Amino acid sequence: MVDQTATGAAKPPLVELIDALPDVEVLTDPESTEPYRRDRANDRNVAVPLAVVLAERTEHVQAVMRWATANGIPVVPRGAGSGLSGGASAVQGGIVLSTERMRGLSIDETTRTAVVQPGLMNAEVKAAAAEVGLWYPPDPASAEFCSIGGNVATNAGGLCCVKYGVTTDYVLGIEVVLADGRAVRIGGPRLKDVAGLSMLKLFVGSEGTLGIITEITLRLLPAPMAPRTVVGWFDSSAAAGAAVAEIARRIRPSMLEYMDGVSIGAVEDELAMGLRRDAAALVVARSDDRSPTGEEVAIMLDAFERHGATECFETADVEDGERYAHARRIAIPAVERLGSLLLEDVGVAIPELPRLISGVERIAAENDVTIAFIAHAGDGNTHPLVVVDLEDRDMVRRAERSYGQIMDLAIDLGGTITGEHGVGRLKRPWLVDQIGDDLLDVSHRVKRALDPAGILNPGTIFAA
Ligand SMILES: Cc1cc2nc3c(=O)[nH]c(=O)nc-3n(C[C@H](O)[C@H](O)[C@H](O)COP(=O)(O)OP(=O)(O)OC[C@H]3O[C@@H](n4cnc5c(N)ncnc54)[C@H](O)[C@@H]3O)c2cc1C
């Protein structure tokens, strides 16, 4: 690129940014920026970013934000791009700020904390903690390919969260770069700290709209006991939903997952592990209860039987149990083989779960579309997966109608349009129906206070 200062002309802004980041890789050609244009949602946004910055340190992120503020250029923070709500989709003419090269990690065994940079994968953080006998619990099914920064930015959940809580329950502190380029530290390795407003919770789950997270202090736990896994097969979704509700009422299992017939079939196509294709639903439950009597396992089996499971059993060993957990984890990519997906993330209070399941079945029938249904059932967080052939315009219309109707249904049941994936760009139109005008107005005021020019991830949560 030509430096125009020699001729007296103003430098084009991107040259200024590249000059400010001498040691940082900045991608600008279409081929190398292509993989950074979308996340894993079926967002048909085809925006082309001005550049992708592969930041390595907080100072690099600060330099990007100072330049972006000075020039009014939008910035989309990006972890590993595994998001399912279009939150990391590029913005036309904006910068994608990737944290993939920010990979520092240290663990303090005395305070049981880890200080990590955002670009590490969730599974890498877990593995590092396990090496010193500790445990980082939140376990999104995407653990191997989602970043810890993305987890904090979306407040990710997962399979063990029914007992152990979600990402925010493990975030003790963050360093965050604000829109104007200042870096602030909130919290730290202190288990109790009530100084000032509770800003930490504001940034966790803010989906890159309030600041860019450049360091995280995580709380770790002692390693858990090996879990015992209980499997229940059902010939009706209503019976499975009722069994889930009963288990959730009586105990706190360490996993309580649900798969419907469509997802069972899709996973069996992938794994050929002997899943029952004739079943309407599969519930995979776990207990890491330390009592020698194994009372929780007995309660789970009892609940399955009382609600008419066609078959239920405790799996023989940890590895066998892990096969069923793995089957649930790969359900989204397995169903993806049936077609493109409009991915839901709706949640309800547990007693409403059977009504949500039957409502989604009705929506599928009325719109003549296939909707696979998987769920972190124990915390009422479900993923109806609307399968669509993007070449079939009529089917696209019916699928999009179903997608909206499912969120309307969740709101009618007092639930949420998103339990863990975030609002992103795809669910934004429904946000006001859930939280109402007044709370949306308060949210806009917070956004304007922290990002007055609206350059941080415009279009996600808030209209661009
Ligand atoms: C097969 C599959 C299974 C999944 N299972 C689960 C699951 O069980 N539970 C769950 O919660 N999610 C799940 N997800 C969704 C996804 O993996 C999570 O939302 C994850 O937290 C996203 O992390 P990421 O690094 O890929 O973030 P990205 O997709 O890159 O970004 C997600 C959002 O966070 C913002 N962001 C990223 N990094 C930063 C940062 N450092 N600072 C500020 N903002 C940032 C982005 O702008 C965007 O809005 C699944 C996804 C797939 C494909």
Side-chain angles (χ1 to χ4, degrees):
M1 220 172 274
V2 180
D3 180 347
Q4 297 178 13
T5 46
T7 64
K11 279 186 178 187
L14 190 57
V15 176
E16 280 174 22
L17 178 65
I18 292 168
D19 285 355
L21 296 169
D23 307 323
V24 178
E25 195 167 355
V26 180
L27 313 174
T28 53
D29 65 284
E31 204 178 318
S32 47
T33 58
E34 177 62 30
Y36 297 89
R37 289 174 67 195
R38 294 180 190 81
D39 62 14
R40 286 283 296 269
N42 230 334
D43 187 2
R44 275 168 274 163
N45 170 356
V46 286
V48 179
L50 183 64
V52 177
V53 176
L54 304 178
E56 293 176 32
R57 293 200 304 273
T58 300
E59 300 80 60
H60 300 154
V61 179
Q62 291 182 276
V64 170
M65 291 317 303
R66 282 194 203 104
W67 170 86
T69 288
N71 294 287
I73 306 277
V75 177
V76 176
R78 182 183 178 95
S82 73
L84 292 171
S85 62
S89 299
V91 169
Q92 192 66 30
I95 298 295
V96 173
L97 192 142
S98 167
T99 60
E100 69 192 49
R101 295 193 178 169
M102 301 180 76
R103 294 180 45 77
L105 177 142
S106 64
I107 291 182
D108 183 312
E109 293 173 55
T110 311
T111 57
R112 285 200 194 120
T113 54
V115 176
V116 300
Q117 285 191 306
L120 286 169
M121 295 298 122
N122 170 299
E124 292 177 307
V125 175
K126 277 183 182 297
E131 266 178 36
V132 292
L134 294 172
W135 182 36
Y136 174 66
D139 58 346
S142 50
E144 299 286 340
F145 55 91
C146 66
S147 76
I148 195 77
N151 289 175
V152 176
T154 56
N155 192 11
L159 283 73
C160 77
C161 297
V162 58
K163 180 167 184 179
Y164 289 98
V166 297
T167 304
T168 192
D169 300 310
Y170 295 88
V171 179
L172 289 174
I174 53 172
E175 176 189 70
V176 59
V177 174
L178 303 176
D180 61 13
R182 282 179 296 168
V184 293
R185 285 184 170 274
I186 309 172
R190 303 174 286 273
L191 292 178
K192 295 177 76 178
D193 183 353
V194 293
L197 292 178
S198 177
M199 302 293 269
L200 195 55
K201 299 275 180 193
L202 182 63
F203 282 94
V204 177
S206 64
E207 299 183 52
T209 63
L210 303 181
I212 301 181
I213 296 154
T214 47
E215 187 185 284
I216 307 140
T217 305
L218 294 169
R219 187 164 70 98
L220 305 175
L221 298 186
M225 297 286 277
R228 299 169 67 177
T229 305
V230 178
V231 174
W233 294 98
F234 294 84
D235 59 11
S236 92
S237 56
V244 163
E246 178 171 337
I247 292 172
R249 183 175 59 77
R250 292 173 67 186
I251 55 167
R252 284 186 75 187
S254 59
M255 180 189 293
L256 190 49
E257 296 288 320
Y258 175 100
M259 290 169 64
D260 76 342
V262 177
S263 55
I264 293 167
V267 169
E268 182 59 15
D269 288 346
E270 285 293 298
L271 298 180
M273 61 179 274
L275 297 179
R276 291 176 52 161
R277 289 180 187 276
D278 59 337
L282 164 65
V283 178
V284 182
R286 270 186 174 169
S287 165
D288 60 5
D289 170 25
R290 285 157 196 250
S291 82
T293 55
E295 196 186 334
E296 287 190 346
V297 168
I299 288 173
M300 292 191 278
L301 288 168
D302 178 54
F304 284 163
E305 276 162 12
R306 281 153 51 96
H307 291 282
T310 50
E311 185 189 354
C312 61
F313 54 91
E314 181 190 354
T315 56
D317 59 28
V318 172
E319 262 176 42
D320 192 41
E322 184 51 29
R323 289 190 323 125
Y324 286 92
H326 178 65
R328 166 59 188 87
R329 279 192 206 101
I330 69 145
I332 291 177
V335 177
E336 253 171 356
R337 296 196 188 271
L338 305 179
S340 296
L341 300 184
L342 299 184
L343 252 140
E344 294 280 6
D345 179 34
V346 290
V348 289
I350 297 281
E352 300 292 357
L353 190 59
R355 254 186 289 224
L356 181 66
I357 296 174
S358 61
V360 171
E361 286 171 349
R362 178 179 43 74
I363 289 168
E366 282 174 4
N367 289 297
D368 190 22
V369 289
T370 298
I371 304 181
F373 196 104
I374 57 175
H376 304 301
D379 42 29
N381 181 198
T382 74
H383 301 314
L385 310 172
V386 187
V387 182
V388 58
D389 173 358
L390 294 176
E391 303 299 315
D392 181 340
R393 293 178 69 83
D394 188 56
M395 189 194 281
V396 170
R397 255 193 308 276
R398 286 181 279 120
E400 284 176 348
R401 191 165 56 225
S402 309
Y403 185 72
Q405 287 173 343
I406 291 170
M407 280 187 274
D408 293 342
L409 170 66
I411 294 169
D412 286 348
L413 293 173
T416 177
I417 58 171
T418 173
E420 59 180 16
H421 296 162
V423 173
R425 290 179 172 75
L426 301 182
K427 291 161 197 152
R428 196 187 67 225
W430 286 269
L431 182 61
V432 66
D433 294 340
Q434 182 185 328
I435 69 172
D437 290 322
D438 289 346
L439 189 52
L440 190 60
D441 175 57
V442 173
S443 309
H444 274 122
R445 285 162 187 261
V446 172
K447 168 73 171 167
R448 277 198 295 274
L450 287 167
D451 179 19
I455 57 171
L456 274 167
N457 211 357
T460 283
I461 304 179
F462 305 97

